[in-house]
Amino acid sequence: KLIKHQQEVQERIRHLQAAASSGKTPTIPVEQQIQAVQLGMQAHQAGTAAVSSAGGVKTLGACAVVGAGAGFIVLGSTVGASLAIVGGAA
């Protein structure tokens, strides 16, 4: 798809250069000469790879638990209970 698009762009450049050298306006509209390109992406595979390289969901959960526990210890049971949960989730 990209090679075809590149060829269309190069043809457009040649057309514009020829028109400019002869002092004329371009005769072919850009929409006729360069077609839209729609590329597909492998989002599922990219997401899975990102989770794997980041250590996975288990690591994220463990960090949240450690953060909540540390917040509870530092802030105490009165204030710390609610803030520790929020801090652990962040």
Side-chain angles (χ1 to χ4, degrees):
K1 290 181 180 181
L2 290 177
I3 292 173
K4 183 177 183 277
H5 182 69
Q6 180 185 17
Q7 291 170 345
E8 291 173 352
V9 171
Q10 289 173 343
E11 288 176 24
R12 179 67 181 177
I13 291 171
R14 283 191 294 275
H15 175 71
L16 293 175
Q17 287 174 339
S21 66
S22 65
K24 298 180 181 177
T25 59
T27 57
I28 303 172
V30 68
E31 297 85 12
Q32 288 181 1
Q33 209 162 21
I34 300 175
Q35 303 300 315
V37 178
Q38 185 173 5
L39 302 176
M41 296 189 68
Q42 303 288 335
H44 182 303
Q45 291 176 351
T48 304
V51 169
S52 297
S53 67
V57 177
K58 290 182 182 180
T59 303
L60 176 64
C63 289
V65 169
V66 169
F72 186 76
I73 291 170
V74 171
L75 298 173
S77 61
T78 310
V79 178
S82 59
L83 292 178
I85 294 171
V86 172

